[in-house]
Amino acid sequence: MARQELTRLTGKSGGPQCDDDDCPNVYRHEGRSSIVIQGDVYRGFAAPDGEALVEIPESVLKEAVRALGW
């Protein structure tokens, strides 16, 4: 999946300033009706093969929910 296929939901209005797109964000993939999360790798426990765990601040998730109108 290419980045241009995603709609960035967070970091646009009042969120953290990310000069290099290197901060936690939430994206929407319209074609797959899915959400993609960018965050720090979470190592609290091992995810199953083919999956990963990421950790994002609660404020980023709340911003994404507002952007989606949920």
Side-chain angles (χ1 to χ4, degrees), residues 8 16-23:
R8 187 172 171 173
Q17 300 299 316
C18 302
D19 297 334
D20 299 321
D21 286 335
D22 61 351
C23 61

Side-chain angles (χ1 to χ4, degrees), residues 8 10-11 16 18 22-27 38-40 55-57 60:
R8 187 172 171 173
T10 57
C18 302
D22 61 351
C23 61
N25 277 297
V26 177
Y27 300 87
Q38 174 186 347
D40 295 324
E55 185 173 15
I56 63 169
V60 173

Side-chain angles (χ1 to χ4, degrees), residues 14-58:
Q17 300 299 316
C18 302
D19 297 334
D20 299 321
D21 286 335
D22 61 351
C23 61
N25 277 297
V26 177
Y27 300 87
R28 183 180 210 173
H29 188 288
E30 295 288 342
R32 296 173 56 137
S33 297
S34 63
I35 302 294
V36 177
I37 306 293
Q38 174 186 347
D40 295 324
V41 174
Y42 181 76
R43 301 191 191 283
F45 63 93
D49 286 343
E51 296 183 7
L53 302 166
V54 298
E55 185 173 15
I56 63 169
E58 185 178 305

